[in-house]
């Protein structure tokens, strides 16, 4: 109506709002973002399951050692701290290597980032905190199970 009011001889085609133009222009970026978030979430779930499996296997392999520790006076808290510490050391090394690789590869991903710098401090601080929290959660169940080991039963096994 506005174009028609200004000049009736101007042909009008492909009218759209600015919002729809921006939405269309950002469609590929949004798709890539959704895909990245989906695969990152899947990777986090697989990492948690893998870490839980490794820590559980480690606890199972160390049942006799844990039984000896309990028999010699280690408290439940000491055993939980031992198992949680083992998981956190492994993930801590992974975090250090991951941060180094992330810093090295920031140029490659910078073209996909919108509104965020490649070395965003919130991301570089938040992801390690998230991974440490997930590690503590994945290691807690095996640690709790290890703390409940009966020393007599553990020494009779194997």
């Amino acid at each position: 109506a506005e174009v028609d009011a200004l000049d009736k001889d101007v042909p009008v085609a492909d009218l759209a709002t600015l919002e729809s133009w921006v939405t269309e222009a950002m469609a590929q970026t949004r798709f890539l973002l959704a895909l990245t978030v989906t695969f990152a979430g899947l990777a986090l779930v697989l990492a948690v399951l893998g870490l839980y499996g490794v820590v559980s296997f480690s606890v199972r392999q160390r049942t006799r050692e844990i039984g000896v520790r309990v028999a010699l006076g280690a408290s439940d808290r000491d055993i939980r701290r031992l198992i949680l510490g083992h998981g956190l050391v492994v993930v801590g090394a992974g975090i250090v290597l991951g941060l180094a690789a992330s810093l090295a590869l920031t140029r490659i991903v910078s073209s996909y980032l919108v509104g965020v710098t490649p070395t965003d401090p919130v991301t570089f601080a938040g992801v390690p905190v998230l991974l440490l929290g997930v590690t503590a959660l994945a290691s807690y169940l095996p640690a709790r199970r290890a703390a409940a080991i009966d020393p007599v039963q553990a020494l009779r096994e194997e």
Side-chain angles (χ1 to χ4, degrees):
E2 286 297 318
V3 172
D4 195 37
L6 293 172
D7 188 355
K8 292 184 185 260
D9 294 332
V10 174
V12 179
D14 200 22
L15 284 178
T17 63
L18 180 61
E19 183 180 337
S20 66
W21 282 87
V22 170
T23 301
E24 187 178 325
M26 295 294 294
Q28 184 178 7
T29 303
R30 285 193 179 132
F31 174 73
L32 288 174
L33 178 65
L35 197 61
T36 302
V37 167
T38 300
F39 283 122
L42 183 61
L44 183 62
V45 168
L46 289 174
V48 168
L49 291 174
L51 185 65
Y52 173 78
V54 167
V55 173
S56 291
F57 181 74
S58 173
V59 166
R60 182 70 183 133
Q61 293 291 91
R62 297 170 67 184
T63 300
R64 188 176 188 103
E65 172 200 341
I66 294 169
V68 169
R69 287 177 186 264
V70 171
L72 292 175
S75 67
D76 291 353
R77 183 177 179 197
D78 294 332
I79 300 300
R80 280 194 302 266
R81 192 174 341 152
L82 174 74
I83 302 304
L84 282 170
H86 174 71
L88 291 174
V89 164
V90 170
V91 170
I95 287 173
V96 169
L97 292 173
L99 284 174
S102 296
L103 285 170
L105 298 172
T106 55
R107 288 185 187 167
I108 294 172
V109 297
S110 64
S111 64
Y112 295 112
L113 301 176
V114 178
V116 176
T117 62
T119 56
D120 180 41
V122 174
T123 303
F124 273 82
V127 170
V129 168
L130 174 70
L131 287 176
L132 287 174
V134 166
T135 299
L137 182 68
S139 299
Y140 177 72
L141 289 175
R144 195 177 72 184
R145 195 170 47 245
I149 290 175
D150 177 30
V152 175
Q153 188 78 10
L155 294 174
R156 282 187 188 152
E157 273 185 30
E158 297 181 24

